[in-house]
Amino acid sequence: MDENEKEQLPASAAESDDLTLTGEWARALVDQTLAGIYVIQDGYFRYVNQEFANIFGYASPAELIDTIKIADLIAPEERQRVADNIRRRAEGLIPEMRYSFVGVQRNGRRVHVEVHGRAMQFKGQPAVIGVTLDITERKLAEAASNEKLSALFRHSPLGIALVDEAGRHRECNEAYQQLLGCTDEALTAVDMWSLIPEQFAGQAAEMRQALEVGGRYGAVELEYRRPDGRCVPVQTSGVRIAGSGEQHYVWSIVEDISERKRLEREMAEQLAALKKLNKQLQDTQTQLLHAEKMSAVGQLAAGVAHEINNPVGFVKSNLGTLQNYLSEFLRLVGAYETVLVDKPANDPLRRQIHDLEKAMDFAFIRDDAQTLLQESLTGIERVKRIVADLRDFSKPGDAEWQQADIHECLDSTLNIVANEIRPKAEVIRDYGTLPRIRCMPFQLNQVFMNLLLNAAQAIPEKGRIVVRSGHEDDHVWVEVEDSGTGIAPDILARVFEPFFTTKPIGKGTGLGLAVSYGIIKSHAGDISVRNKEDGGAIFRVTLPVEPQGATG
């Protein structure tokens, strides 16, 4: 641009009364711009460009300049507001202003415009110069968007409410009203914070703080108390928005999570049931493994007992026969002695036999031989009884329900574990009078063996074990008491847990009492343990005389 062109242009519209633009590029800029440019003074347009004429449906600026009043281009309901804005700018009360209004085109069609104007001097008088934009399409898009948002607000399955800073309800949708069981009008008298029960005061305080610090809170789970007193579990989130002036509001979105909570409770119950079932399966597996091991031991013991029983039988038979032979032999020797007595004292044969008897201590042999045979017979009887107890203890048929004598089970078990207990404790039997009960003797033998061995192992040196029994109503009970050190209180409740043991590694599996617990429970009985005041522990087994569902 040369110096001549610069001189042809006014410094600014505010400094010149002449709006004629002589610079070709400046005229093109004003005439071809996509924004409408205007100058208003005394209610008339003193200048408009072509785009301004186009916005309001006129063919040229000449149809508007000094002819059309500004009020003619404004919708009736907007005229006063626009006139006030123009006046305040012209008078310099507000140097510049930006706002929108509804205009009226030449053909009467309404158009949305946005104006940005400022005060100026035109021919020495106050005027307003500004820019106008046609925002009709934007307003229509906003209206469509607002309608969508309104539809979303009305039909959302989530409860939505607009509340002020104090929590007072200003507006809420139908889902929110249904959640709280009251109408929109009724909610206007209730503030949001009063809906939160006292036990959730901590969460409510955190929500308030989050609004103050970050302008939002989110995904908070608590409860809302309905006017009828029923509490509804909800998940709520909110965001603070600015209103007019310094007023702020909160959009609160609330979801009824009653169904989700119900499903969570059901899932928790099912999970607990699965855990319980899993524990039962583990316990059952433990019992099966132990039972399988005991069955194998039992079969081995039964086989050994059978194999031992045969030689024991003929040894006993031979000892009996030998005892008879010895009696006959000694009777014969007695006859010989009677004959020798009749011979003279100096008879050579009598003297020879006397010397032989003296040399071999025949009198002692004769007495001791009978004692030895009697002790051997007693010993073989004990072996036979042990074999019988071993066979009874491990009898496979005892894995079925049958009538049994608990005292016989105890006695056979005591005989089996006698060698384990004898070095540690004296066993005292304090039996009561018991009826026969329906049970599986083989399994009860396992229980009694575990209790007796544990009692012996609990005694540090020499002590005693008392086995008691009794009968109460339709139950019998057995107690095994030891004089050991007792069980530490912190582990007393765990002694029946599978694999729990206080023994050193390699000394115990922790299954004995767990299996015993399972066996007693399968008999519809109970097993418990308590410490004695003077030291030691007492295990008590209670069994029904006729358990429900037992067959055989």
Side-chain angles (χ1 to χ4, degrees), residues 393-543:
F393 179 86
S394 58
K395 190 186 301 180
D398 284 358
E400 299 177 355
W401 291 94
Q402 58 186 275
Q403 294 289 337
D405 186 337
I406 292 296
H407 290 159
E408 290 180 0
C409 294
L410 286 169
D411 289 339
S412 64
T413 304
L414 282 167
N415 285 335
I416 294 298
V417 298
N419 285 338
E420 294 287 338
I421 295 178
R422 189 178 297 111
K424 299 293 292 291
E426 173 193 6
V427 176
I428 300 174
R429 292 174 172 86
D430 184 11
Y431 292 168
T433 302
L434 301 183
R436 294 175 68 85
I437 70 169
R438 191 172 295 278
C439 63
M440 288 188 279
F442 175 63
Q443 291 191 357
L444 294 185
N445 288 344
Q446 294 180 48
V447 174
F448 297 146
M449 182 178 68
N450 286 332
L451 297 182
L452 289 166
L453 291 178
N454 280 352
Q457 292 166 0
I459 298 173
E461 295 180 357
K462 188 70 175 178
R464 69 173 189 169
I465 296 173
V466 180
V467 181
R468 298 187 185 89
S469 64
H471 178 211
E472 294 177 359
D473 299 327
D474 55 351
H475 286 72
V476 299
W477 55 266
V478 174
E479 285 186 347
V480 177
E481 174 188 324
D482 65 71
S483 59
T485 57
I487 303 173
D490 57 327
I491 65 172
L492 194 62
R494 299 187 60 196
V495 294
F496 297 111
E497 292 180 8
F499 306 108
F500 178 79
T501 179
T502 57
K503 298 173 184 176
I505 297 175
K507 296 295 184 179
T509 62
L511 292 176
L513 290 177
V515 171
S516 299
Y517 181 88
I519 290 173
I520 297 304
K521 288 298 180 182
S522 71
H523 279 70
D526 187 46
I527 182 171
S528 61
V529 60
R530 68 183 187 274
N531 283 321
K532 297 191 304 175
E533 292 183 1
D534 58 347
I538 300 176
F539 282 83
R540 183 183 178 97
V541 173
T542 304
L543 295 166

Side-chain angles (χ1 to χ4, degrees), residues 89-295:
R89 281 177 294 174
E91 293 175 356
L93 300 176
I94 301 176
E96 65 181 283
M97 181 182 293
R98 183 173 183 171
Y99 63 97
S100 62
F101 63 88
V102 179
V104 180
Q105 292 183 332
R106 187 173 191 175
N107 60 7
R109 178 175 173 268
R110 291 187 169 224
V111 60
H112 291 272
V113 296
E114 181 177 278
V115 295
H116 186 187
R118 60 177 298 171
M120 67 171 289
Q121 290 291 320
F122 177 64
K123 293 182 179 181
Q125 298 296 322
V128 174
I129 184 170
V131 177
T132 303
L133 297 175
D134 184 348
I135 59 171
T136 302
E137 290 186 3
R138 192 181 82 188
K139 284 293 185 180
L140 291 175
E142 288 178 355
S145 177
N146 288 337
E147 179 58 30
K148 291 179 181 177
L149 290 174
S150 178
L152 178 63
F153 175 79
R154 292 193 309 271
H155 303 298
S156 172
L158 300 177
I160 304 175
L162 180 68
V163 301
D164 61 22
E165 288 182 298
R168 291 185 293 267
H169 292 88
R170 298 304 185 188
E171 189 177 0
C172 57
N173 67 352
E174 185 177 353
Y176 191 88
Q177 297 171 41
Q178 290 178 350
L179 186 147
L180 293 173
C182 55
T183 63
D184 191 9
E185 293 78 9
L187 282 170
T188 57
V190 180
D191 74 87
M192 179 183 72
W193 305 111
S194 67
L195 298 174
I196 302 175
E198 182 64 28
Q199 63 264 35
F200 296 99
Q203 289 93 321
E206 292 175 358
M207 290 163 61
R208 289 177 183 266
Q209 184 177 11
L211 283 173
E212 293 177 3
V213 175
R216 64 176 62 240
Y217 61 84
V220 180
E221 290 191 8
L222 40 74
E223 291 182 358
Y224 273 6
R225 181 182 288 111
R226 292 160 50 109
D228 60 9
R230 185 169 69 89
C231 288
V232 182
V234 298
Q235 178 174 290
T236 180
S237 58
V239 59
R240 186 175 60 186
I241 60 172
S244 59
E246 297 183 356
Q247 179 68 39
H248 288 83
Y249 297 90
V250 176
W251 277 114
S252 177
I253 300 176
V254 183
E255 179 185 3
D256 185 346
I257 57 174
S258 300
E259 181 64 15
R260 194 186 83 190
K261 287 295 184 181
R262 183 186 67 81
L263 293 175
E264 287 177 355
R265 286 194 300 271
E266 288 183 359
M267 289 180 62
E269 291 172 358
Q270 291 175 0
L271 181 61
L274 285 174
K275 287 182 178 179
K276 182 178 180 181
L277 179 60
N278 185 52
K279 185 178 184 305
Q280 291 176 346
L281 289 174
Q282 289 179 339
D283 292 346
T284 302
Q285 183 183 27
T286 299
Q287 293 179 27
L288 288 174
L289 289 172
H290 192 76
E292 183 178 357
K293 182 178 72 174
M294 291 299 295
S295 177

